[in-house]
Amino acid sequence: MADPAPPFGFHRDALGRACLGGAPLSELLAASGLETPAYVYDLDAIQDATSRLVSALGPGNLVAYAVKANSAGSVVRAVAEAGAGADLVSGGELQVALACGITPERIVMSGVAKSDAELDRAISLGLCAIQVESVEELPRVSARAAALGAVGRVSLRINPGVEIDSHAHIATGHDEAKFGILEQDLPAALEILRREASLSLVGVSTHVGSMLREPEPYLESARVVCQVALHCRASGHPLEFVDFGGGFGIDYGGEPADAPEVFARAALGLLAEWGLADLRLVVEPGRALVGPYGVLLTRAIQTKRSGGRHTLMIDAGMNDLIRPALYAAKHRVEPCDALPGALPFRVVGPVCESSDDFGEHPLGDAPSGLFVVRDAGAYGFTMASEYNGRALPGEISVRAGRVVKAAPSPGVAAWVTRRLEA
Ligand code: LLP
């Protein structure tokens, strides 16, 4: 996906300084008063990316932002203002989405193991749908709904049995995955739906996995959804929507990916082809709306030269950004106030794990000062931990080149207190 033109997203100014949303990152950090490591988000770019997808999908359809990608209040408010709803997977995410102004009828709740309390909340609020991921979940939802004197609005999340070319940890649509209902189990699901008066089948959904670079695998799973939707209709269920899931990829500096709008247009075309254009189309993007528009700022701690290798130790570790350690993901690491140099340095964090390694980057002779880890707006802070007694990172939100919110790290003292309480 091509980055939108500056001032949106990451770019370098005429002096070669790394900027986000039109302002140098070093200045934004100073203005925030925060220490590194800290995430910085460009709310204008996030809102613009969301608006573009909302327009491509057209009125009546729903962009359900996958809150798990970035649940910062300022970010969720920005996507909500741009017209998105939410896809979420826990009661905590539900609370954030509601507090950020997303109304229940624009929220879908996924997850393979929703707790009774989460189901009760989802049912009483009347969410757009509880996305049911197993046949066994249906009687659970039905019993909770009956106890509340309500009807549970459910969608069947289908596991389409589609393999995608992605890291094994982020592929969900193959038939051994824990996610979704296999087509072979559909008759059993429909039988339960036929007899349970406390359930209303309102949708059919899927999510095949993450980091799709072009629409074809998305469409392959969407075709399965269309087929199931036709079958459900023929069985007398007046469906309201189909949900083709998220998974739109971004360019981490290696291979490009099609823009979310390309997926949206292809999805709309497919619905028309299948005679299902009267249904509401839901998509669930996370990464593509936030990933390119956030960075992680970090400082050099020291260098090390040993065995012919040059290593740079930074103050951000795998506890702040786990993607390289968990998925062998590549995030560009660059100096903030100088252009990348020629000499390659291996960049590592302070955590006592060999996988706390951000890979090799051209950083020049004597790297020092402030560095930027790029494309870290998605699955960055939301996957952060306090491993090794490290504090969670801070978060800075930027609009029109100015800091509009600076959430400091809770600090090591908070970690110490919690440990001593346990
Ligand atoms: N819908 C459902 C049901 C999902 O499980 C996910 C992501 C999404 C939507 C959003 O997918 P996206 O558009 O962001 O690809 N932590 C991994 C990604 C895990 C994705 C989990 N599910 C990473 O950092 O690459």
Side-chain angles (χ1 to χ4, degrees):
M1 181 169 62
D3 283 343
F8 286 157
F10 180 89
H11 58 104
R12 286 195 179 267
D13 67 10
L15 299 174
R17 295 177 301 179
C19 298
L20 194 76
L25 282 157
S26 49
E27 288 179 9
L28 291 170
L29 181 68
S32 75
L34 265 50
E35 309 282 336
T36 54
Y39 282 95
V40 191
Y41 311 128
D42 178 355
L43 300 183
D44 296 314
I46 290 169
Q47 202 152 2
D48 177 68
T50 310
S51 298
R52 279 185 281 140
L53 182 57
V54 166
S55 312
L57 222 52
N61 296 319
L62 179 67
V63 174
Y65 167 62
V67 173
K68 64 172 83 70
N70 188 327
S71 49
S74 56
V75 168
V76 179
R77 270 187 213 101
V79 299
E81 279 165 24
D87 160 59
L88 35 81
V89 291
S90 70
E93 288 186 352
L94 175 57
Q95 245 175 290
V96 168
L98 293 170
C100 291
I102 300 182
T103 48
E105 73 280 2
R106 300 174 70 74
I107 295 176
V108 291
M109 181 181 250
S110 313
V112 294
K114 304 169 194 86
S115 70
D116 286 350
E118 285 167 340
L119 288 178
D120 286 355
R121 187 88 178 105
I123 294 164
S124 349
L125 282 165
L127 297 191
C128 169
I130 297 170
Q131 315 236 53
V132 167
E133 303 230 21
S134 60
V135 175
E136 290 80 353
E137 194 181 342
L138 285 166
R140 279 189 65 218
V141 180
S142 179
R144 307 306 303 181
L148 291 165
V151 171
R153 293 170 53 84
V154 295
S155 84
L156 294 176
R157 175 166 168 188
I158 303 300
N159 182 327
V162 171
E163 299 279 346
I164 61 164
D165 176 22
S166 198
H167 190 278
H169 290 182
I170 53 175
T172 52
H174 53 90
D175 58 13
E176 282 155 38
K178 66 175 176 174
F179 301 99
I181 297 172
L182 294 178
E183 264 187 287
Q184 68 199 53
D185 296 325
L186 195 60
L190 289 177
E191 175 53 28
I192 295 173
L193 283 159
R194 201 182 51 77
R195 51 163 216 257
E196 299 288 333
S198 302
L199 294 179
S200 167
L201 179 63
V202 293
V204 179
S205 45
T206 194
H207 172 76
V208 75
S210 226
M211 274 306 287
L212 307 173
R213 297 190 185 281
E214 84 275 302
E216 192 35 48
Y218 195 70
L219 296 180
E220 200 181 329
S221 68
R223 282 183 202 105
V224 177
V225 169
C226 289
Q227 205 166 6
V228 171
L230 286 175
H231 185 73
C232 291
R233 274 194 159 172
S235 318
H237 296 283
L239 296 182
E240 295 172 15
F241 72 87
V242 283
D243 176 349
F244 294 162
F248 314 149
I250 63 170
D251 183 357
Y252 281 100
E255 283 173 77
D258 284 332
E261 297 80 71
V262 174
F263 287 82
R265 283 193 288 271
L268 288 169
L270 188 79
L271 266 191
E273 243 173 67
W274 282 72
L276 291 168
D278 59 315
L279 289 178
R280 182 186 206 193
L281 174 61
V282 180
V283 297
E284 302 174 357
R287 183 189 325 264
L289 300 185
V290 291
Y293 315 120
V295 298
L296 175 61
L297 288 181
T298 175
R299 275 188 203 285
I301 290 187
Q302 66 165 78
T303 54
K304 172 176 177 180
R305 200 175 150 181
S306 171
R309 262 195 154 182
H310 296 272
T311 306
L312 171 68
M313 282 88 171
I314 55 174
D315 69 357
M318 63 187 283
N319 71 297
D320 302 298
L321 178 65
I322 202 173
R323 302 195 67 260
L326 199 55
Y327 315 116
K330 302 266 183 289
H331 284 263
R332 286 167 284 190
V333 180
E334 298 177 5
C336 267
D337 288 334
L339 291 172
L343 189 66
F345 270 76
R346 175 143 233 110
V347 179
V348 301
V351 173
C352 290
E353 296 271 350
S354 358
S355 55
D356 187 21
D357 187 329
F358 293 87
E360 215 166 63
H361 303 274
L363 295 180
D365 291 335
S368 64
L370 196 60
F371 287 81
V372 54
V373 184
R374 293 182 54 182
D375 304 305
Y379 306 109
F381 186 93
T382 53
M383 297 183 81
S385 77
E386 295 170 298
Y387 183 43
N388 271 207
R390 290 172 49 75
L392 290 171
E395 291 175 288
I396 301 165
S397 299
V398 175
R399 256 199 203 277
R402 304 186 96 86
V403 173
V404 290
K405 209 158 191 199
S409 160
V412 174
W415 179 84
V416 172
T417 306
R418 168 79 187 111
R419 295 331 295 142
L420 296 178
E421 265 168 15

